Amino acid sequence: GEDVEQSLFLSVREGDSSVINCTYTDSSSTYLYWYKQEPGAGLQLLTYIFSNMDMKQDQRLTVLLNKKDKHLSLRIADTQTGDSAIYFCAVPGGTSYGKLTFGQGTILTVHP
Amino acid sequence: DAMVIQNPRYQVTQFGKPVTLSCSQTLNHNVMYWYQQKSSQAPKLLFHYYDKDFNNEADTPDNFQSRRPNTSFCFLDIRSPGLGDAAMYLCATSGLKSGNEKLFFGSGTQLSVL
């Protein structure tokens, strides 16, 4: 099955850029997703990228996709304390309709 | 606003006492999912409904069941909760348009088992 890996922790200062990395194994994925989860809450879709794109920018968020290396990254510019959360990379996996396989999540901590 | 609503927000049950978690959606999506998320772990898919078709994941314990009486509602039944079933349960929906598996999640139900 699909395997999705993320680093567990990232700590940055307010105003700096954050880069969260993700690797996956299934090369047939069409869309790849980033979700954000605040403490005690559900998952919020942040952004996604179609697999024929290398980059997608959405305000402070930039997604980079290296399909050859099966590497996905999320860059948050001008990181704010409100960005502190867990960020999940998610990749379609298996034959089930809409089944997403999530990475284990990266805990982003933003220091003032 | 169109959304996915889960009730209750927090649920406490006793070991072995059946419990039902609820999810409703106003998005008119044809697919509804139940994910289990334990502390500091990735969400894990338990099962999903594609319209009325139930799809169980191979490793989902028999203790977990689901019902979808109509498009808007989906229930998760835990027949005999064990201590290991304490987790956040997340409901999600998807319209599956153009092969985009974009999922919309509810706020989750945090289940405690005493």
Side-chain angles (χ1 to χ4, degrees):
Chain A
E2 179 70 75
D3 192 24
V4 182
E5 297 283 338
Q6 294 179 241
S7 52
L8 292 181
F9 302 99
L10 178 63
S11 179
V12 300
R13 286 190 181 277
E14 193 172 18
D16 288 350
S17 292
S18 307
V19 179
I20 302 170
N21 294 302
C22 172
T23 57
Y24 59 96
T25 55
D26 185 356
S27 61
S28 64
S29 302
T30 51
Y31 289 86
L32 301 98
Y33 305 86
W34 284 102
Y35 283 84
K36 175 183 179 182
Q37 186 178 35
E38 296 182 358
L43 275 69
Q44 172 195 355
L45 178 64
L46 269 184
T47 186
Y48 59 93
I49 188 168
F50 188 50
S51 58
N52 68 353
M53 298 170 65
D54 297 324
M55 184 181 83
K56 178 181 178 182
Q57 187 152 1
D58 183 1
Q59 300 182 331
R60 292 191 297 122
L61 304 178
T62 302
V63 180
L64 295 177
L65 174 61
N66 182 328
K67 204 172 176 184
K68 173 176 170 290
D69 294 339
K70 298 178 187 174
H71 183 268
L72 183 70
S73 67
L74 174 69
R75 179 178 181 270
I76 306 173
D78 187 24
T79 314
Q80 303 297 307
T81 53
D83 295 324
S84 294
I86 305 176
Y87 290 81
F88 290 94
C89 167
V91 176
T95 55
S96 297
Y97 281 108
K99 177 178 178 178
L100 291 183
T101 300
F102 289 84
Q104 65 267 49
T106 298
I107 300 172
L108 174 64
T109 304
V110 183
H111 299 285
Chain B
D1 289 342
M3 59 178 62
V4 182
I5 302 166
Q6 289 189 244
N7 285 304
R9 184 75 181 83
Y10 300 94
Q11 176 73 58
V12 180
T13 191
Q14 291 179 332
F15 182 94
K17 184 176 180 181
V19 65
T20 295
L21 309 182
S22 301
C23 178
S24 64
Q25 55 128 342
T26 59
L27 297 161
N28 203 32
H29 282 169
N30 55 342
V31 191
M32 295 186 76
Y33 309 81
W34 280 104
Y35 280 83
Q36 179 193 62
Q37 186 183 25
K38 295 189 176 180
S39 183
S40 303
Q41 295 185 18
K44 177 179 176 298
L45 182 63
L46 294 173
F47 28 57
H48 74 277
Y49 273 95
Y50 188 97
D51 293 325
K52 294 184 179 181
D53 293 332
F54 177 71
N55 298 272
N56 199 28
E57 292 299 299
D59 56 355
T60 298
D62 292 341
N63 198 25
F64 292 87
Q65 304 287 323
S66 187
R67 294 171 285 134
R68 189 179 186 186
N70 53 52
T71 301
S72 301
F73 286 88
C74 195
F75 301 99
L76 169 63
D77 300 308
I78 308 176
R79 291 191 298 188
S80 181
L83 298 179
D85 297 327
M88 171 79 91
Y89 289 88
L90 296 164
C91 174
T93 71
S94 174
L96 286 181
K97 294 178 181 176
S98 303
N100 188 338
E101 293 89 345
K102 198 161 52 172
L103 265 59
F104 295 83
F105 282 85
S107 298
T109 294
Q110 184 68 51
L111 177 68
S112 299
V113 181
L114 304 180

